[in-house]
Amino acid sequence: MSDTLEFEITRNERPVTAGERAAILADPGWGRHFTDHMVTIRYSAERGWHDAKLEPYGPIPMDPAAQVFHYAQELFEGLKAYRQPDGSIVTFRPYMNAARMNRSAKRMAMPEIPEQLFVDAIELLVRTDKDWVPDTEGHSLYLRPFMFATTRALGVNSPASEFLFMVIASPSGLYYPRGIKPVSVWLSQDYSRAAPGGTGEAKFGGNYAASFAGQAEAVQQGCDQVVWLDAVEHRWVEEVGSMNLMFVYGSGSKARLLTPALTGTLLAGVTRDSMLKLAPDLGLPTEEGKISVDEWQAGCESGEITEVFGCGTAAIISPVGWVKGRDRAWTIGDGEPGEISMRLRQELIGIQYGTRPDPYGWVHKLS
Ligand code: COI
């Protein structure tokens, strides 16, 4: 199978006007507005990937018996396009998203997509809708590649054989309107996000559907986000909301970073990986390990743990300020974003927005 396809291009005859677009870009919110075009690529067991199209953004006809509606066979990715100081546009580590989508696809019995086709699809959409890439500091064009089963069949004994891969794009501001102010988190004891042997490390829509009740419980408890613990002992800390978690021990030149290791139940975040590579270059040793709820509380109470933050593509870095559980509660630091969290955030943002050098080769210029 070829690694690329020729795209059939149909331009949107009624794109959003320049005035409407400017109004949207002035206050984009997060994930609420979409650009003028989208990409669709079909897959069938007989033909492989075919029928690659760039077309006007809009509803797609779907058969009510399509397997995705019944058995939730759906995967997605998330990455961003950033406007550079010279007006050009870059994406960030797109091949890493492509590779992760393919790992997710394996777990969900879905077809892998050639990495180059994944990146070509993103580039074509960003190039076509380049005027939608914001130039406001901290804003970006959020790209959402996703894939789902379209096979018309209710049986489950043979896996789906037809799929649709799509990319849509959404101009976006800050994920949390409150910005980088620390969030409060609720330790979920009743719900689990992922179990050993399950789908936790796949970026599978169902993982997110299964998390909504836990998130709703967190909000009911007066918290902003839910912390997921391991499903077996409800003791080991795994993730926060849809983000990976990072713990800063110590401060100044003695600081170090710990993040829960990828055990199969955690998502291998691109931002997580970038933090693990950036931090040592800023003099901050890193460790992928294990931390229990008890250790987290004791570490904060003794002052050993100085900062905690969630990290992901959408929010980048989201400091955690307070923790609440059924029978416990504690604070982290002084309720302000920690110095190390902010330094790591600035470094990463600087690379993404082209205001700092990129010694890692992470920034991917539009070809
Ligand atoms: C991310 O943190 O990048 C996410 O995956 C969030 C998304 C589910 C809205």
Side-chain angles (χ1 to χ4, degrees):
M1 184 177 51
S2 153
D3 275 0
T4 55
L5 290 173
E6 200 67 44
F7 283 81
E8 183 189 314
I9 311 258
T10 310
R11 299 291 298 212
N12 191 335
E13 299 283 321
R14 293 166 183 263
V16 168
T17 65
E20 285 167 333
R21 192 174 58 236
I24 291 170
L25 292 181
D27 181 20
W30 206 91
R32 286 196 277 119
H33 299 282
F34 298 91
T35 65
D36 296 312
H37 296 88
M38 62 186 190
V39 164
T40 59
I41 311 177
R42 296 204 167 267
Y43 176 92
S44 69
E46 302 80 49
R47 297 180 63 190
W49 291 103
H50 63 282
D51 218 4
K53 291 182 180 164
L54 175 94
E55 52 193 306
Y57 180 92
I60 45 172
M62 289 286 295
D63 193 299
Q67 288 201 343
V68 64
F69 294 134
H70 306 275
Y71 309 122
Q73 221 179 346
E74 191 269 355
L75 303 174
F76 69 93
E77 275 299 322
L79 69 163
K80 292 172 170 171
Y82 306 87
R83 181 78 64 185
Q84 304 293 284
D86 65 0
S88 65
I89 299 168
V90 305
T91 54
F92 187 73
R93 310 186 75 182
Y95 289 94
M96 213 173 164
N97 292 91
R100 186 172 63 186
M101 180 169 256
N102 285 337
R103 291 199 304 276
S104 301
K106 262 193 196 141
R107 175 62 184 86
M108 303 305 295
M110 294 169 76
E112 291 177 49
I113 183 162
E115 287 184 12
Q116 195 53 52
L117 181 57
F118 178 102
V119 174
D120 286 351
I122 283 165
E123 286 204 348
L124 176 61
L125 182 60
V126 176
R127 256 201 321 273
T128 310
D129 286 338
K130 61 183 183 312
D131 293 342
W132 285 92
V133 181
D135 52 17
T136 309
E137 200 186 298
H139 293 196
S140 57
L141 185 65
Y142 182 77
L143 303 164
R144 174 51 67 88
F146 58 111
M147 188 207 300
F148 50 89
T150 52
T151 303
R152 185 175 181 258
L154 297 186
V156 288
N157 291 335
S158 58
S161 57
E162 288 170 15
F163 297 85
L164 186 59
F165 169 85
M166 298 184 63
V167 190
I168 55 175
S170 173
S172 293
L174 294 180
Y175 188 64
Y176 293 119
R178 61 192 288 167
I180 47 165
K181 275 185 68 186
V183 295
S184 52
V185 297
W186 167 249
L187 300 172
S188 178
Q189 296 283 349
D190 294 333
Y191 298 107
S192 298
R193 195 193 81 90
T199 56
E201 72 182 341
K203 207 153 171 72
F204 153 55
N207 289 342
Y208 295 76
S211 75
F212 295 153
Q215 173 61 23
E217 186 184 68
V219 171
Q220 231 170 33
Q221 291 290 337
C223 295
D224 300 301
Q225 285 286 322
V226 55
V227 168
W228 299 109
L229 305 176
D230 77 286
V232 179
E233 298 180 76
H234 281 281
R235 179 171 166 222
W236 303 102
V237 181
E238 297 205 325
E239 294 189 5
V240 58
S242 59
M243 288 180 283
N244 294 116
L245 262 170
M246 302 256 160
F247 297 81
V248 179
Y249 286 76
S251 56
S253 61
K254 296 235 159 58
R256 63 189 171 89
L257 201 63
L258 171 95
T259 191
L262 301 176
T263 54
T265 54
L266 280 77
L267 190 84
V270 176
T271 312
R272 175 188 183 279
D273 185 79
S274 306
M275 289 289 139
L276 287 175
K277 296 199 164 77
L278 264 180
D281 292 345
L282 298 175
L284 205 67
T286 61
E287 185 193 338
E288 296 177 75
K290 257 178 134 174
I291 174 166
S292 69
V293 174
D294 288 344
E295 287 164 348
W296 184 359
Q297 179 170 8
C300 289
E301 287 172 354
S302 72
E304 202 194 349
I305 295 178
T306 49
E307 303 177 30
V308 177
F309 61 89
C311 64
T313 296
I316 312 171
I317 275 185
S318 174
V320 178
W322 300 270
V323 188
K324 181 178 169 189
R326 265 198 213 133
D327 49 7
R328 52 170 91 205
W330 69 93
T331 59
I332 301 154
D334 58 3
E336 292 300 320
E339 187 199 317
I340 288 171
S341 317
M342 288 306 95
R343 211 165 116 224
L344 286 166
R345 185 172 189 278
Q346 279 316 111
E347 285 292 330
L348 184 62
I349 289 181
I351 293 174
Q352 292 170 331
Y353 286 87
T355 56
R356 276 167 211 234
D358 170 23
Y360 310 101
W362 287 340
V363 155
H364 179 79
K365 290 194 170 62
L366 279 194
S367 60

